[in-house]
Amino acid sequence: MRPQSLLLVALGASSLHIPIQDLESHLLPKHSSNLHLSPLPDRNLRPRQSCENTPTSRNCWGDFSIDTNYYDVTPNTGRTVEYWLSVQQGPCAPDGVQRTCMTFNGTIPGPTLFADWGDTIVIHVTNNMETNGTAIHWHGLRQSSSVLYDGVPGVTQCPIAPGTSLTYRFRVTQYGSTWYHSHFSLQYSEGLFGGMIFNGPATADYDEDLGVLFLQDWSHTESFTLWNTAKLGAPPSLETGLVNGTNTWDCTTQDPGNPSCTSGGSKKEIIFTPGTKYRVRLVNVAIDGKFQFSIDGHSLTVIANDLVPIVPFTTDSLEITIGQRYDVIVEANATPGDYWLRAGWIQTCSMNNNPANMTAIIRYDASSTSNPTSTSTVTPSTNCLDEPAANLVPHLSLDVTNPTSNITREDLSFVFDSYFKWTINTSSLLLDWAHPTLENILDGTSIFPTEYNVVQVQPTTGTSNGSIPEWAVLVIQDVSNIGLAHPIHLHGHDFWILSQTPAAQFDPATSPGSFDLTNPPRRDVATLPGNGYLAIAFLLDNPGAWLTHCHIAWHASQGLSLEFVESQEDIVVSAGDEAVFRSTCDAWRSWELSNPFEQDDSGI
């Protein structure tokens, strides 16, 4: 079922409040080449819902609710939602400084994709760039029975060649907030990302949904140029940042004499109506950095991390690292006026040249044009780890049982040969885009190239469909002695965070005794503490090839990644999906023959 409340429809940098029943008629006349929704059935012909999702009953979702175990149960909506995305490259000036960007449909961020919990979503991606392949990852989605559409070049697909298209198709088995982005080298840092909103129940009530709000660092130099510096080891400090793809830059004082600087940028503005409760979906899409988000004069009620509903907690600021998402509710209960929304860049985690300028504006009067004079009461953080685990209590309580029977320990270090590379057990990830891991699997190969960093995991029952759930535990131990924190993202699964221990060595004999096994925080991105270890558990219930990597873009390019090949004998794809997979690889290999593409990073 679909809630009757208003949804925010975000297309690139613009947003509109539109009743869900009017969504198709509103969008298609203007965006028919970009979006199509299947016809919406007449509400009057529907059976009476047992519990309607409204501003005062957000926990409801028809015959389901916030208490439904979404790992086992998915509504059958019978609906397919279809989108078209064009990957393109061209001039942009998100803060008033001209440069070249990569975008979906010409905007940063790209269009927000909406679906209901239980829908099937079909996304047609056309690569309209001339000299780059691409592949699109749907961040945080488990992709059960659709591993071919996880969107990782060299793992689950070959890149989409210039001038060709690939249709991604999968079931929406989760609900909440996430994002999609290119997983081809550094492309997402050039603007190739957008939001995804999967409608479902929530753990607290709110009136209006303001959609996805992206926080990012930004440079006036393309990332592929900065890579020449980053690959030497020390990451470059970027000039500034953006809030939902926009900001300002003072050409007179910050960039005098630069002909590319037009001072044509603008601050993101959000209009509040007194007494209204707003849902905001925060996403950190930085290249390298952590934010401490806040709004002057307002508190935040946090209701979800990543795609996991949590027991609500209230705070004046929220720390969010790369790839993580938090859903927050903000009540417009301050004295009417203008207030700064602060992204809150944390300089101790990564340097930026203008962190204080990463702001947007909350207005109670839409006609106001004044800059806010509000001040922050938030104590700036110097912490590079995640929000305290005590705050991140999943609403759906699920414990970890018998996690010590299948522990994989991987040591993180580095090597410097042709450039600085991170290593997992002495091996730095290096993928061959033309021969992805799944091609080896479909061809019946059980031996993988060493530099693919494949870890094979299998339930002891021999099948992923055993009656008793089995767990895999990954322990990443930082032995680099560099002391950096690394946001680790696992594809294909939510994971349970058993331990995040700074400056400590994992002891297989004693450390598991301190694992948090009782409804620990659950998500898909968690921070590995510098010189310490991260221990995560996930259920062996989703056969596939699943990338696990640091989400700092420089580090991913420097090979900080491994792959889980899970239950290889149980990986099944349809004949039609396999034909699409092989056709995509044929097209890439054909294009590459006449357009040699120099790969100078890990490939992800």
Side-chain angles (χ1 to χ4, degrees), residues 305 310 313 326 386-394 519-523:
N305 63 202
I310 64 173
F313 72 94
Y326 283 99
D386 294 330
E387 278 286 316
N391 289 343
L392 307 179
V393 180
N519 195 32
R522 195 167 68 240
R523 59 189 321 163

Side-chain angles (χ1 to χ4, degrees), residues 23 46 225 236 246 266 359 429 471 494:
L23 184 61
R46 289 184 172 189
T225 300
T246 189
S266 62
T359 55
L429 183 81
W471 298 86
D494 286 341

Side-chain angles (χ1 to χ4, degrees), residues 134-183:
T134 196
I136 312 306
H137 174 56
W138 320 95
H139 185 107
L141 304 192
R142 294 198 300 272
Q143 297 289 3
S144 179
S145 302
S146 53
V147 61
L148 288 178
Y149 298 125
D150 191 47
V152 184
V155 178
T156 61
Q157 67 170 90
C158 293
I160 306 170
T164 67
S165 300
L166 174 62
T167 295
Y168 295 85
R169 180 188 302 269
F170 46 86
R171 184 95 180 276
V172 178
T173 62
Q174 298 149 274
Y175 57 84
S177 310
T178 192
W179 60 306
Y180 62 96
H181 62 86
S182 171
H183 223 305

Side-chain angles (χ1 to χ4, degrees), residues 469-503:
E470 293 193 39
W471 298 86
V473 174
L474 171 66
V475 176
I476 304 179
Q477 174 73 61
D478 180 8
V479 299
S480 70
N481 292 319
I482 294 177
L484 295 177
H486 300 273
I488 302 299
H489 174 46
L490 170 64
H491 291 215
H493 291 274
D494 286 341
F495 54 70
W496 284 245
I497 302 175
L498 306 182
S499 181
Q500 290 173 286
T501 308

Side-chain angles (χ1 to χ4, degrees), residues 20-170:
I20 184 69
Q21 60 266 37
D22 296 337
L23 184 61
E24 184 178 21
S25 62
H26 187 99
L27 285 177
L28 284 180
K30 295 182 179 179
H31 304 282
S32 59
S33 62
N34 299 332
L35 172 67
H36 173 69
L37 291 176
S38 299
L40 303 181
D42 187 335
R43 288 184 180 276
N44 297 324
L45 299 179
R46 289 184 172 189
R48 184 176 182 273
Q49 300 293 341
S50 58
C51 188
E52 194 71 34
N53 183 280
T54 73
T56 57
S57 60
R58 294 296 185 189
N59 62 307
C60 293
W61 199 256
D63 295 331
F64 308 90
S65 75
I66 194 65
D67 298 323
T68 302
N69 186 336
Y70 46 84
Y71 294 103
D72 297 333
V73 177
T74 302
N76 183 12
T77 66
R79 192 176 81 128
T80 294
V81 185
E82 198 165 8
Y83 292 91
W84 282 260
L85 295 175
S86 168
V87 177
Q88 51 204 61
Q89 188 170 12
C92 68
D95 63 352
V97 181
Q98 291 284 340
R99 51 159 287 183
T100 300
C101 293
M102 296 178 179
T103 67
F104 290 105
N105 295 8
T107 65
I108 299 176
T112 298
L113 311 183
F114 294 88
D116 285 351
W117 180 26
D119 285 350
T120 294
I121 190 166
V122 175
I123 309 160
H124 308 280
V125 178
T126 299
N127 181 4
N128 286 311
M129 298 187 292
E130 295 181 358
T131 59
N132 272 277
T134 196
I136 312 306
H137 174 56
W138 320 95
H139 185 107
L141 304 192
R142 294 198 300 272
Q143 297 289 3
S144 179
S145 302
S146 53
V147 61
L148 288 178
Y149 298 125
D150 191 47
V152 184
V155 178
T156 61
Q157 67 170 90
C158 293
I160 306 170
T164 67
S165 300
L166 174 62
T167 295
Y168 295 85
R169 180 188 302 269
F170 46 86

